[in-house]
Amino acid sequence: MKRLRPSGILPLELWDLLMPDGSILWHHMQSPDFGERLHTVISQVWHGEAATQSEGKVSESIRGFHTLHLTGGGAPSVYEKVQRGPWSATTLSLETTFGSATGGRALLAERGLDGWVLDVGQSGFKISDASVRLQKPRDWNRLPLRDGLTSADIPNQRAELRHSLAKLLMEMHEAVGEWPRSIIAGLPSRLDDQGVPEDCSYIGMKGDSALIPDAMQLAGMPDVPLFVLNDAELAAVSAQHEFALMKPALLLTLGFGVGGAMIHTL
């Protein structure tokens, strides 16, 4: 397993951006006025006046970005609300549901490989190759939110994650007819230099360096190259291949939560 860090892309933690009323952005994901609230707080980011609950003031390096790029299943519903802002342009991914597919294939192609792109999202899993796409929603009974769970639940939750991912890999194998030459996976959390995930809504994912390799083995896959990165980093690579983005660009992935990445000029 190799952790990829695409050049010029900085993953960001923006899900807990502080709102003017003291709440955080994530609390409003299902609100009817989420688009307006998103516009407000991203405008603060552009002006260099934003802060997150977990990390404090947002880095000045993000201030004054040129383009706001949206992707993810929730992006189309807020696109109109955020078009007008202090930034110069707003773009919407050509493929919001499978927004990582283009970037994943491009990163594999750079290494002389082809294969499957696996997107381990917080509301479900997606996998694709050049012609086949499969999507499975998260089983909230088997994989509940971490709130209310304890460390005693981690072993069982890790086993459930492996089982769910292995089942998807086997279904993809049945649909395609063969195993891939490689896999690239986007994970919904920060990753260290070894590709070990940090916190997310899956209580069993933090610190689980063997999650994807074990799921591959459980599915009966042969030993093939595996690359991992943050899901927003992967979506940012897709955006660069889909658009001639004016940089710097702030990318937001909108689904279960808000992910982010900054695309800088190299």
Side-chain angles (χ1 to χ4, degrees):
M1 182 175 75
K2 182 176 181 180
R3 201 278 196 235
L4 298 185
R5 291 190 182 275
S7 299
I9 295 174
L10 174 68
L12 303 170
E13 292 291 315
L14 299 179
W15 64 276
D16 62 341
L17 279 165
L18 289 168
M19 304 298 296
D21 62 4
S23 62
I24 62 173
L25 183 60
W26 190 83
H27 290 155
H28 303 280
M29 289 295 301
Q30 304 304 319
S31 300
D33 63 347
F34 175 69
E36 289 84 353
R37 288 180 176 271
L38 181 66
H39 183 275
T40 295
V41 76
I42 297 303
S43 296
Q44 291 178 332
V45 170
W46 190 91
H47 286 291
E49 300 169 351
T52 64
Q53 186 178 70
S54 59
E55 299 183 343
K57 186 174 174 59
V58 174
S59 172
E60 284 287 325
S61 66
I62 303 172
R63 182 175 185 169
F65 56 86
H66 186 285
T67 304
L68 177 65
H69 182 80
L70 304 181
T71 189
S77 64
V78 302
Y79 177 62
E80 294 293 333
K81 301 294 184 181
V82 300
Q83 279 199 34
R84 293 180 177 84
W87 47 89
S88 300
T90 305
T91 53
L92 180 66
S93 177
L94 300 178
E95 176 56 77
T96 53
T97 301
F98 282 84
S100 298
T102 298
R105 290 198 301 272
L107 288 171
L108 291 178
E110 289 175 7
R111 290 156 179 81
L113 296 168
D114 56 22
W116 297 351
V117 182
L118 173 63
D119 184 350
V120 183
Q122 300 198 73
S123 59
F125 311 132
K126 296 179 283 288
I127 193 166
S128 63
D129 68 1
S131 58
V132 176
R133 294 181 172 185
L134 298 180
Q135 182 176 8
K136 295 294 180 182
R138 179 174 178 172
D139 186 331
W140 297 101
N141 292 318
R142 291 181 175 273
L143 293 168
L145 294 177
R146 60 179 294 123
D147 298 339
L149 299 179
T150 69
S151 58
D153 297 300
I154 289 177
N156 176 65
Q157 287 297 288
R158 288 184 170 179
E160 290 289 356
L161 270 169
R162 283 160 169 74
H163 173 78
S164 297
L165 291 172
K167 184 177 180 181
L168 179 62
L169 292 172
M170 288 186 287
E171 290 177 1
M172 186 67 173
H173 175 254
E174 182 177 354
V176 174
E178 60 184 358
W179 292 113
R181 293 175 56 204
S182 61
I183 286 187
I184 187 165
L187 300 179
S189 69
R190 285 185 171 181
L191 305 174
D192 68 13
D193 289 338
Q194 284 70 51
V196 180
E198 297 183 11
D199 278 320
C200 69
S201 69
Y202 297 101
I203 194 173
M205 189 174 288
K206 181 180 179 181
D208 191 357
S209 60
L211 172 61
I212 307 300
D214 282 358
M216 292 166 62
Q217 185 177 35
L218 188 61
M221 283 190 61
D223 187 16
V224 299
L226 168 64
F227 306 94
V228 297
L229 67 169
N230 171 265
D231 55 358
E233 292 176 298
L234 191 51
V237 177
S238 289
Q240 289 182 295
H241 281 79
E242 291 177 353
F243 295 89
L245 291 176
M246 292 294 293
K247 304 170 187 176
L250 175 62
L251 173 134
L252 298 179
T253 62
L254 303 173
F256 175 80
V258 179
M262 196 70 182
I263 306 172
H264 292 283
T265 303
L266 296 179

